[in-house]
Amino acid sequence: MSKVGLIIHREYFTRVKKKSFLLMTLLGPILMAMLLIAVFWLGMKESNERFVLVIDENQGVLGELQNSDGITYDYQNINFKDAQRLFNESNYTDILYIPPNITKFDAASLLFKKQPSATVLRAIEWRLEEKVEELKLIERNISKTHFYEIKTSISIKPSKFTKAGESKEIVEEASAVGFVFGLMIYMFIFMYGVQVMRGVIEEKSNRIVEVIISSVKPFELMIGKIIGVGLVSFTQFLLWVFLTIILFTGLQFALFSDVFEAANVMSQMQMTPEMMQGMTTEMKLAQESGNPDNLINKIPWGNALTMFGFYFLGGYLLYSALFAAVGAAVDSETDTQQFMLPITMPLIFAYMISIFIVQNPDGPAAFWFSIIPFTSPIVMMVRFLASGEGGVPIWEIVLSMALLIVGFVFTTWIAAKIYRTGILMYGKKPSYKELWKWLSYKG
Amino acid sequence: MEYLLQAENIVKKFATHVALDGVSISVPKGHIFGLLGPNGAGKTTLIRIINQITGPDSGSVLFDGQPLNSNHVADIGYLPEERGLYKKMKVGEQALYLAQLKGMSKSEAQNKLNHWFKKFEIEGWWNKKVEELSKGMQQKIQFIITVLHEPKLLILDEPFSGFDPINTNLIKQEILELKEKGSTIIFSTHNMSSVEEICDHIALINQSKKILDGPINEIRDAYSSNLFELQFKGNMIAFTNALWTGYELLEQEEKGGINKVKIKKISKQSTNNLLEAIIPHVEVVSLNEILPSMNDIFIEKVNEINQPQKEVI
């Protein structure tokens, strides 16, 4: 085995054999699953039970709202001010105040003790809209049937028209998947970059480093460590994916079978005009794309995974070399703050800017930050999926990838110079000026 | 004399100071070479250049007649002053790893390690983590790792620091044994007393320049102050008369019928002439030349160099 091979071997196996690695690998997906279950469970358990006091100032022309979705409407003929005074002692959860002439102003107000969820609020709004519409229809003497026949809701399906002349549909989920991929790249660069840094500090503070670099070149030690830790991150990632799939398949059968069934029943149900009316355009779109088929079929998984692999690797190599340089420059982890900042800033920035890039994946910000190597691993990943297949021109992807390669060769070169000098320097924390001088030392 | 290592005119500058300024050393094969000098003199930098950890700005290093190159890594064993091991790694595993980095095969390293562990009676440590061992134990492991691949050149930087007297002795014996087997050893230290016992050759470095080198006996002769200590039984007056003009009496002392005197040679007479002159008059018990210790030479030489500078200031 070559010397770099030996180093990679050691770096990999000492980490993989650690109990903490095993724990993280097992607990990661379990924690994730538990989090999701908790969210589901809380969401399901969340009581939509509301007892709403309705004060209607329209002298009964509106008719009473129908109880539904756990919301009970109770009509009382009292003054709004009195109601407010008694609200705290009463067992009402909310007061719905419908002002006079509702058909003119289309506005009502709701006082609550505990904030209602968006669903509850929507449900109340629907009920009220329904009544107000009915009233308006009567006022204008239009038949209800006609109204529903005429009422239109149009959904526009946006598709990108590519140079090749094909139109590509934009899939909302793809943006989310891109965002998740971006988040993972961000997380892994951070987690494992810091591990590289810790490893370097460990060797330095153990004073073993001089023994090792009398056998191998400092560059070999650094690159061996970076690759070794990188392989650990890949191992962990693959195990997480694998375990998550197993876990979710298991859970799907065990816990959520009824939920899935319910979802299926829902989607198979015929839509009545009333239901259609009750749904906003947004909702319809959401339901349409919420179809799990979209997630599986409409995302270019092959390309996405290839991109993910590349940017994951490129981003990791670029940043971990810098993390290694930081480790070499300091004596202990507490001294790292000063040098960490310029490394973590572009990473955090890339992640934050992704939020905007999801909205506008073809804008100038998306272009530049997906080309610049320090932000491209995260931004390009998000952009690629957000703008749909073929949305990002090939030349931009090629340029971004090429620059990322140039970028990590460059950071590795810089890092190697700082590393080589830094690992043998003890005692004092260097300034940026000194780091700059180290770059000019001869081997 | 055959040299294993020849460093010619090595210059190494750092941003703020010159670490080595035209230093040349020649390390003869099969000898123990002492690299001496105060802290910060440039010893470690020179050693790092020999280990190819860092490169000289100018100058050349020949190893066994060839320009130093990366293949020589396997021929050099290095115990740095700043040394340590991976704390969380097991002793045996770690020793195997470091041996393989030096170019040994795994099975070869395993065999040699078994031999050394048996020799030092530490077989039980194989599966212990390094952090479970005491500092002295760790130093032993480190020493084994350094010599395991039987390097032609062994570089020991302050090898005794951190050892208790028993282990110091043990390691000293090992070093001498390695020399017997033909290893060449560079022994770097600022502790002069350890040098006299085991070094054959020395080079003295001070403020990035070499100020003295050569076989240790020659250096001591060159620095001999012609002082002798003589013990005899008999009449003191008869003795002083017999001394004649060749020697000057510096000190005298009588204890239990034995006279002890310190004399200085002032002519070119040999000690035989002295004995011939006094034997008829007194009974000689012992005659010793008072040789300067390396410590004295070291301090004298360093002061000699520093003095003019002080005057300027």
mmCIF file of all heavy atoms in Angstrom, chain A residues 134-172:
data_model
loop_
_atom_site.group_PDB
_atom_site.id
_atom_site.type_symbol
_atom_site.label_atom_id
_atom_site.label_comp_id
_atom_site.label_asym_id
_atom_site.label_seq_id
_atom_site.Cartn_x
_atom_site.Cartn_y
_atom_site.Cartn_z
ATOM 1 N N GLU A 134 -73.782 33.307 -1.169
ATOM 2 C CA GLU A 134 -75.203 32.962 -1.305
ATOM 3 C C GLU A 134 -76.079 34.204 -1.203
ATOM 4 O O GLU A 134 -76.995 34.424 -1.990
ATOM 5 C CB GLU A 134 -75.614 31.950 -0.231
ATOM 6 C CG GLU A 134 -75.381 30.522 -0.651
ATOM 7 C CD GLU A 134 -75.614 29.540 0.491
ATOM 8 O OE1 GLU A 134 -76.395 29.866 1.425
ATOM 9 O OE2 GLU A 134 -75.001 28.449 0.452
ATOM 10 N N LEU A 135 -75.726 35.030 -0.204
ATOM 11 C CA LEU A 135 -76.490 36.249 0.019
ATOM 12 C C LEU A 135 -76.411 37.185 -1.192
ATOM 13 O O LEU A 135 -77.411 37.738 -1.659
ATOM 14 C CB LEU A 135 -75.981 36.955 1.270
ATOM 15 C CG LEU A 135 -76.816 38.132 1.787
ATOM 16 C CD1 LEU A 135 -78.236 37.675 2.095
ATOM 17 C CD2 LEU A 135 -76.167 38.747 3.013
ATOM 18 N N LYS A 136 -75.174 37.289 -1.710
ATOM 19 C CA LYS A 136 -74.968 38.152 -2.883
ATOM 20 C C LYS A 136 -75.766 37.638 -4.069
ATOM 21 O O LYS A 136 -76.346 38.407 -4.839
ATOM 22 C CB LYS A 136 -73.476 38.191 -3.256
ATOM 23 C CG LYS A 136 -72.647 39.085 -2.348
ATOM 24 C CD LYS A 136 -71.186 39.033 -2.805
ATOM 25 C CE LYS A 136 -70.321 39.974 -1.991
ATOM 26 N NZ LYS A 136 -68.894 39.766 -2.312
ATOM 27 N N LEU A 137 -75.785 36.305 -4.225
ATOM 28 C CA LEU A 137 -76.531 35.706 -5.335
ATOM 29 C C LEU A 137 -78.013 36.064 -5.230
ATOM 30 O O LEU A 137 -78.649 36.427 -6.224
ATOM 31 C CB LEU A 137 -76.367 34.183 -5.342
ATOM 32 C CG LEU A 137 -74.972 33.676 -5.743
ATOM 33 C CD1 LEU A 137 -74.887 32.167 -5.545
ATOM 34 C CD2 LEU A 137 -74.667 34.027 -7.189
ATOM 35 N N ILE A 138 -78.521 35.976 -3.983
ATOM 36 C CA ILE A 138 -79.946 36.286 -3.786
ATOM 37 C C ILE A 138 -80.195 37.752 -4.098
ATOM 38 O O ILE A 138 -81.126 38.114 -4.799
ATOM 39 C CB ILE A 138 -80.391 35.941 -2.348
ATOM 40 C CG1 ILE A 138 -80.335 34.416 -2.157
ATOM 41 C CG2 ILE A 138 -81.806 36.471 -2.043
ATOM 42 C CD1 ILE A 138 -80.376 33.958 -0.728
ATOM 43 N N GLU A 139 -79.279 38.609 -3.580
ATOM 44 C CA GLU A 139 -79.435 40.046 -3.815
ATOM 45 C C GLU A 139 -79.476 40.361 -5.306
ATOM 46 O O GLU A 139 -80.186 41.226 -5.772
ATOM 47 C CB GLU A 139 -78.270 40.819 -3.187
ATOM 48 C CG GLU A 139 -78.436 41.039 -1.688
ATOM 49 C CD GLU A 139 -77.215 41.710 -1.079
ATOM 50 O OE1 GLU A 139 -76.247 42.031 -1.838
ATOM 51 O OE2 GLU A 139 -77.217 41.906 0.135
ATOM 52 N N ARG A 140 -78.622 39.668 -6.067
ATOM 53 C CA ARG A 140 -78.534 39.941 -7.504
ATOM 54 C C ARG A 140 -79.463 39.066 -8.335
ATOM 55 O O ARG A 140 -79.399 39.092 -9.563
ATOM 56 C CB ARG A 140 -77.094 39.740 -7.971
ATOM 57 C CG ARG A 140 -76.206 40.874 -7.498
ATOM 58 C CD ARG A 140 -74.749 40.492 -7.654
ATOM 59 N NE ARG A 140 -73.874 41.530 -7.147
ATOM 60 C CZ ARG A 140 -73.663 41.801 -5.864
ATOM 61 N NH1 ARG A 140 -74.288 41.088 -4.925
ATOM 62 N NH2 ARG A 140 -72.865 42.760 -5.493
ATOM 63 N N ASN A 141 -80.174 38.200 -7.597
ATOM 64 C CA ASN A 141 -81.128 37.340 -8.275
ATOM 65 C C ASN A 141 -80.479 36.407 -9.308
ATOM 66 O O ASN A 141 -80.877 36.324 -10.452
ATOM 67 C CB ASN A 141 -82.220 38.211 -8.939
ATOM 68 C CG ASN A 141 -83.513 37.441 -9.026
ATOM 69 O OD1 ASN A 141 -83.578 36.277 -8.576
ATOM 70 N ND2 ASN A 141 -84.534 38.049 -9.612
ATOM 71 N N ILE A 142 -79.442 35.749 -8.904
ATOM 72 C CA ILE A 142 -78.767 34.788 -9.791
ATOM 73 C C ILE A 142 -78.940 33.410 -9.177
ATOM 74 O O ILE A 142 -78.833 33.246 -7.957
ATOM 75 C CB ILE A 142 -77.261 35.099 -9.899
ATOM 76 C CG1 ILE A 142 -77.065 36.509 -10.454
ATOM 77 C CG2 ILE A 142 -76.528 34.070 -10.747
ATOM 78 C CD1 ILE A 142 -75.661 37.028 -10.322
ATOM 79 N N SER A 143 -79.198 32.440 -10.025
ATOM 80 C CA SER A 143 -79.388 31.100 -9.463
ATOM 81 C C SER A 143 -78.046 30.492 -9.097
ATOM 82 O O SER A 143 -77.032 30.729 -9.739
ATOM 83 C CB SER A 143 -80.129 30.204 -10.454
ATOM 84 O OG SER A 143 -79.236 29.318 -11.061
ATOM 85 N N LYS A 144 -78.082 29.731 -8.039
ATOM 86 C CA LYS A 144 -76.880 29.112 -7.502
ATOM 87 C C LYS A 144 -76.224 28.187 -8.532
ATOM 88 O O LYS A 144 -75.008 28.165 -8.705
ATOM 89 C CB LYS A 144 -77.276 28.311 -6.256
ATOM 90 C CG LYS A 144 -76.196 28.236 -5.198
ATOM 91 C CD LYS A 144 -76.813 27.597 -3.968
ATOM 92 C CE LYS A 144 -75.776 27.168 -2.977
ATOM 93 N NZ LYS A 144 -76.364 26.482 -1.823
ATOM 94 N N THR A 145 -77.041 27.421 -9.212
ATOM 95 C CA THR A 145 -76.523 26.482 -10.209
ATOM 96 C C THR A 145 -75.761 27.229 -11.297
ATOM 97 O O THR A 145 -74.676 26.834 -11.699
ATOM 98 C CB THR A 145 -77.665 25.680 -10.872
ATOM 99 O OG1 THR A 145 -78.849 25.925 -10.134
ATOM 100 C CG2 THR A 145 -77.339 24.215 -10.934
ATOM 101 N N HIS A 146 -76.389 28.310 -11.761
ATOM 102 C CA HIS A 146 -75.696 29.095 -12.783
ATOM 103 C C HIS A 146 -74.355 29.590 -12.307
ATOM 104 O O HIS A 146 -73.350 29.504 -12.995
ATOM 105 C CB HIS A 146 -76.562 30.316 -13.191
ATOM 106 C CG HIS A 146 -77.594 29.950 -14.204
ATOM 107 N ND1 HIS A 146 -78.814 30.596 -14.295
ATOM 108 C CD2 HIS A 146 -77.597 29.004 -15.160
ATOM 109 C CE1 HIS A 146 -79.509 30.033 -15.257
ATOM 110 N NE2 HIS A 146 -78.800 29.063 -15.789
ATOM 111 N N PHE A 147 -74.413 30.062 -11.093
ATOM 112 C CA PHE A 147 -73.182 30.611 -10.538
ATOM 113 C C PHE A 147 -72.044 29.588 -10.570
ATOM 114 O O PHE A 147 -70.946 29.864 -11.030
ATOM 115 C CB PHE A 147 -73.427 31.093 -9.107
ATOM 116 C CG PHE A 147 -72.182 31.528 -8.404
ATOM 117 C CD1 PHE A 147 -71.518 32.685 -8.826
ATOM 118 C CD2 PHE A 147 -71.646 30.785 -7.363
ATOM 119 C CE1 PHE A 147 -70.367 33.092 -8.184
ATOM 120 C CE2 PHE A 147 -70.486 31.191 -6.733
ATOM 121 C CZ PHE A 147 -69.849 32.347 -7.140
ATOM 122 N N TYR A 148 -72.354 28.375 -10.094
ATOM 123 C CA TYR A 148 -71.288 27.373 -10.068
ATOM 124 C C TYR A 148 -70.870 26.943 -11.450
ATOM 125 O O TYR A 148 -69.739 26.538 -11.666
ATOM 126 C CB TYR A 148 -71.678 26.175 -9.195
ATOM 127 C CG TYR A 148 -71.631 26.540 -7.721
ATOM 128 C CD1 TYR A 148 -72.720 26.341 -6.881
ATOM 129 C CD2 TYR A 148 -70.458 27.116 -7.206
ATOM 130 C CE1 TYR A 148 -72.648 26.697 -5.550
ATOM 131 C CE2 TYR A 148 -70.411 27.486 -5.868
ATOM 132 C CZ TYR A 148 -71.492 27.278 -5.050
ATOM 133 O OH TYR A 148 -71.416 27.636 -3.750
ATOM 134 N N GLU A 149 -71.791 27.032 -12.380
ATOM 135 C CA GLU A 149 -71.423 26.695 -13.762
ATOM 136 C C GLU A 149 -70.440 27.723 -14.311
ATOM 137 O O GLU A 149 -69.514 27.404 -15.039
ATOM 138 C CB GLU A 149 -72.670 26.639 -14.638
ATOM 139 C CG GLU A 149 -73.330 25.269 -14.638
ATOM 140 C CD GLU A 149 -74.727 25.324 -15.245
ATOM 141 O OE1 GLU A 149 -75.019 26.324 -15.937
ATOM 142 O OE2 GLU A 149 -75.482 24.386 -15.005
ATOM 143 N N ILE A 150 -70.695 28.975 -13.964
ATOM 144 C CA ILE A 150 -69.882 30.055 -14.519
ATOM 145 C C ILE A 150 -68.554 30.202 -13.799
ATOM 146 O O ILE A 150 -67.521 30.448 -14.387
ATOM 147 C CB ILE A 150 -70.669 31.391 -14.439
ATOM 148 C CG1 ILE A 150 -71.894 31.309 -15.338
ATOM 149 C CG2 ILE A 150 -69.780 32.565 -14.839
ATOM 150 C CD1 ILE A 150 -72.924 32.354 -15.030
ATOM 151 N N LYS A 151 -68.629 30.030 -12.475
ATOM 152 C CA LYS A 151 -67.414 30.249 -11.676
ATOM 153 C C LYS A 151 -66.244 29.421 -12.224
ATOM 154 O O LYS A 151 -66.344 28.225 -12.421
ATOM 155 C CB LYS A 151 -67.679 29.867 -10.223
ATOM 156 C CG LYS A 151 -66.544 30.338 -9.323
ATOM 157 C CD LYS A 151 -66.867 30.075 -7.878
ATOM 158 C CE LYS A 151 -65.579 30.038 -7.120
ATOM 159 N NZ LYS A 151 -65.372 31.095 -6.196
ATOM 160 N N THR A 152 -65.166 30.110 -12.486
ATOM 161 C CA THR A 152 -64.032 29.475 -13.149
ATOM 162 C C THR A 152 -62.788 29.603 -12.279
ATOM 163 O O THR A 152 -62.589 30.611 -11.613
ATOM 164 C CB THR A 152 -63.731 30.189 -14.484
ATOM 165 O OG1 THR A 152 -64.967 30.568 -15.063
ATOM 166 C CG2 THR A 152 -62.934 29.295 -15.405
ATOM 167 N N SER A 153 -62.015 28.581 -12.314
ATOM 168 C CA SER A 153 -60.713 28.724 -11.672
ATOM 169 C C SER A 153 -59.688 28.121 -12.617
ATOM 170 O O SER A 153 -59.797 26.968 -13.010
ATOM 171 C CB SER A 153 -60.746 28.033 -10.316
ATOM 172 O OG SER A 153 -59.746 27.080 -10.216
ATOM 173 N N ILE A 154 -58.781 28.963 -13.006
ATOM 174 C CA ILE A 154 -57.819 28.521 -14.019
ATOM 175 C C ILE A 154 -56.479 28.240 -13.353
ATOM 176 O O ILE A 154 -56.016 29.017 -12.509
ATOM 177 C CB ILE A 154 -57.650 29.613 -15.093
ATOM 178 C CG1 ILE A 154 -58.964 29.723 -15.867
ATOM 179 C CG2 ILE A 154 -56.468 29.301 -16.017
ATOM 180 C CD1 ILE A 154 -58.910 30.601 -17.055
ATOM 181 N N SER A 155 -55.886 27.131 -13.690
ATOM 182 C CA SER A 155 -54.531 26.887 -13.197
ATOM 183 C C SER A 155 -53.557 26.913 -14.372
ATOM 184 O O SER A 155 -53.838 26.318 -15.421
ATOM 185 C CB SER A 155 -54.463 25.564 -12.448
ATOM 186 O OG SER A 155 -54.825 24.521 -13.312
ATOM 187 N N ILE A 156 -52.494 27.622 -14.184
ATOM 188 C CA ILE A 156 -51.500 27.720 -15.258
ATOM 189 C C ILE A 156 -50.340 26.799 -14.928
ATOM 190 O O ILE A 156 -49.798 26.813 -13.819
ATOM 191 C CB ILE A 156 -51.008 29.171 -15.397
ATOM 192 C CG1 ILE A 156 -52.145 30.034 -15.937
ATOM 193 C CG2 ILE A 156 -49.787 29.240 -16.318
ATOM 194 C CD1 ILE A 156 -51.802 31.489 -16.104
ATOM 195 N N LYS A 157 -49.948 26.001 -15.879
ATOM 196 C CA LYS A 157 -48.821 25.102 -15.696
ATOM 197 C C LYS A 157 -47.608 25.743 -16.363
ATOM 198 O O LYS A 157 -47.552 25.824 -17.583
ATOM 199 C CB LYS A 157 -49.141 23.774 -16.393
ATOM 200 C CG LYS A 157 -48.793 22.569 -15.571
ATOM 201 C CD LYS A 157 -49.109 21.335 -16.372
ATOM 202 C CE LYS A 157 -49.919 20.328 -15.574
ATOM 203 N NZ LYS A 157 -50.333 19.200 -16.414
ATOM 204 N N PRO A 158 -46.644 26.212 -15.581
ATOM 205 C CA PRO A 158 -45.485 26.850 -16.219
ATOM 206 C C PRO A 158 -44.502 25.804 -16.734
ATOM 207 O O PRO A 158 -44.198 24.830 -16.041
ATOM 208 C CB PRO A 158 -44.866 27.664 -15.080
ATOM 209 C CG PRO A 158 -45.311 26.991 -13.832
ATOM 210 C CD PRO A 158 -46.522 26.165 -14.137
ATOM 211 N N SER A 159 -44.053 25.990 -17.971
ATOM 212 C CA SER A 159 -43.056 25.080 -18.528
ATOM 213 C C SER A 159 -41.960 25.910 -19.171
ATOM 214 O O SER A 159 -42.233 26.911 -19.810
ATOM 215 C CB SER A 159 -43.667 24.173 -19.586
ATOM 216 O OG SER A 159 -44.621 23.346 -19.007
ATOM 217 N N LYS A 160 -40.755 25.474 -18.965
ATOM 218 C CA LYS A 160 -39.642 26.205 -19.565
ATOM 219 C C LYS A 160 -39.451 25.703 -20.990
ATOM 220 O O LYS A 160 -39.421 24.506 -21.246
ATOM 221 C CB LYS A 160 -38.375 25.960 -18.763
ATOM 222 C CG LYS A 160 -37.147 26.508 -19.460
ATOM 223 C CD LYS A 160 -36.215 27.179 -18.493
ATOM 224 C CE LYS A 160 -35.069 27.810 -19.281
ATOM 225 N NZ LYS A 160 -34.391 28.830 -18.498
ATOM 226 N N PHE A 161 -39.321 26.672 -21.931
ATOM 227 C CA PHE A 161 -39.074 26.304 -23.319
ATOM 228 C C PHE A 161 -37.571 26.344 -23.539
ATOM 229 O O PHE A 161 -36.945 27.395 -23.508
ATOM 230 C CB PHE A 161 -39.782 27.273 -24.256
ATOM 231 C CG PHE A 161 -39.767 26.810 -25.687
ATOM 232 C CD1 PHE A 161 -40.563 25.749 -26.092
ATOM 233 C CD2 PHE A 161 -38.927 27.409 -26.607
ATOM 234 C CE1 PHE A 161 -40.538 25.304 -27.399
ATOM 235 C CE2 PHE A 161 -38.893 26.965 -27.919
ATOM 236 C CZ PHE A 161 -39.709 25.913 -28.322
ATOM 237 N N THR A 162 -36.958 25.181 -23.727
ATOM 238 C CA THR A 162 -35.498 25.138 -23.808
ATOM 239 C C THR A 162 -35.031 25.429 -25.219
ATOM 240 O O THR A 162 -35.818 25.437 -26.161
ATOM 241 C CB THR A 162 -34.969 23.762 -23.383
ATOM 242 O OG1 THR A 162 -35.493 22.805 -24.299
ATOM 243 C CG2 THR A 162 -35.387 23.416 -21.975
ATOM 244 N N LYS A 163 -33.725 25.620 -25.347
ATOM 245 C CA LYS A 163 -33.112 25.897 -26.654
ATOM 246 C C LYS A 163 -33.431 24.787 -27.639
ATOM 247 O O LYS A 163 -33.620 25.021 -28.832
ATOM 248 C CB LYS A 163 -31.590 26.024 -26.485
ATOM 249 C CG LYS A 163 -31.187 27.302 -25.786
ATOM 250 C CD LYS A 163 -30.430 28.223 -26.731
ATOM 251 C CE LYS A 163 -30.294 29.617 -26.162
ATOM 252 N NZ LYS A 163 -29.270 29.716 -25.128
ATOM 253 N N ALA A 164 -33.454 23.558 -27.114
ATOM 254 C CA ALA A 164 -33.682 22.423 -28.003
ATOM 255 C C ALA A 164 -35.129 22.364 -28.481
ATOM 256 O O ALA A 164 -35.491 21.519 -29.290
ATOM 257 C CB ALA A 164 -33.322 21.130 -27.280
ATOM 258 N N GLY A 165 -35.918 23.280 -27.996
ATOM 259 C CA GLY A 165 -37.285 23.344 -28.459
ATOM 260 C C GLY A 165 -38.257 22.492 -27.679
ATOM 261 O O GLY A 165 -39.422 22.392 -28.024
ATOM 262 N N GLU A 166 -37.778 21.880 -26.593
ATOM 263 C CA GLU A 166 -38.711 21.089 -25.799
ATOM 264 C C GLU A 166 -39.253 21.981 -24.690
ATOM 265 O O GLU A 166 -38.589 22.931 -24.268
ATOM 266 C CB GLU A 166 -37.986 19.922 -25.116
ATOM 267 C CG GLU A 166 -37.123 19.095 -26.022
ATOM 268 C CD GLU A 166 -36.055 18.391 -25.210
ATOM 269 O OE1 GLU A 166 -36.443 17.570 -24.365
ATOM 270 O OE2 GLU A 166 -34.871 18.662 -25.411
ATOM 271 N N SER A 167 -40.383 21.643 -24.222
ATOM 272 C CA SER A 167 -40.859 22.376 -23.064
ATOM 273 C C SER A 167 -40.733 21.483 -21.843
ATOM 274 O O SER A 167 -41.058 20.298 -21.881
ATOM 275 C CB SER A 167 -42.302 22.813 -23.271
ATOM 276 O OG SER A 167 -43.114 21.681 -23.414
ATOM 277 N N LYS A 168 -40.202 22.080 -20.787
ATOM 278 C CA LYS A 168 -39.991 21.295 -19.567
ATOM 279 C C LYS A 168 -40.855 21.871 -18.471
ATOM 280 O O LYS A 168 -40.815 23.059 -18.179
ATOM 281 C CB LYS A 168 -38.516 21.395 -19.136
ATOM 282 C CG LYS A 168 -37.553 20.810 -20.145
ATOM 283 C CD LYS A 168 -37.453 19.320 -19.980
ATOM 284 C CE LYS A 168 -36.402 18.780 -20.952
ATOM 285 N NZ LYS A 168 -36.303 17.355 -20.918
ATOM 286 N N GLU A 169 -41.564 20.975 -17.859
ATOM 287 C CA GLU A 169 -42.453 21.414 -16.798
ATOM 288 C C GLU A 169 -41.649 21.684 -15.526
ATOM 289 O O GLU A 169 -40.682 20.988 -15.229
ATOM 290 C CB GLU A 169 -43.439 20.281 -16.522
ATOM 291 C CG GLU A 169 -44.693 20.720 -15.852
ATOM 292 C CD GLU A 169 -45.571 19.505 -15.633
ATOM 293 O OE1 GLU A 169 -45.666 18.659 -16.538
ATOM 294 O OE2 GLU A 169 -46.122 19.416 -14.528
ATOM 295 N N ILE A 170 -42.039 22.724 -14.824
ATOM 296 C CA ILE A 170 -41.356 23.001 -13.564
ATOM 297 C C ILE A 170 -42.098 22.275 -12.453
ATOM 298 O O ILE A 170 -43.304 22.387 -12.292
ATOM 299 C CB ILE A 170 -41.301 24.505 -13.306
ATOM 300 C CG1 ILE A 170 -40.314 25.102 -14.295
ATOM 301 C CG2 ILE A 170 -40.905 24.787 -11.874
ATOM 302 C CD1 ILE A 170 -40.197 26.579 -14.247
ATOM 303 N N VAL A 171 -41.334 21.473 -11.732
ATOM 304 C CA VAL A 171 -41.943 20.685 -10.668
ATOM 305 C C VAL A 171 -41.588 21.321 -9.339
ATOM 306 O O VAL A 171 -40.425 21.488 -9.006
ATOM 307 C CB VAL A 171 -41.435 19.231 -10.721
ATOM 308 C CG1 VAL A 171 -42.180 18.392 -9.708
ATOM 309 C CG2 VAL A 171 -41.585 18.670 -12.120
ATOM 310 N N GLU A 172 -42.608 21.693 -8.609
ATOM 311 C CA GLU A 172 -42.381 22.385 -7.334
ATOM 312 C C GLU A 172 -41.521 21.548 -6.386
ATOM 313 O O GLU A 172 -40.613 22.065 -5.755
ATOM 314 C CB GLU A 172 -43.731 22.669 -6.658
ATOM 315 C CG GLU A 172 -44.616 23.574 -7.457
ATOM 316 C CD GLU A 172 -44.488 25.036 -7.048
ATOM 317 O OE1 GLU A 172 -44.301 25.272 -5.841
ATOM 318 O OE2 GLU A 172 -44.559 25.903 -7.922
#
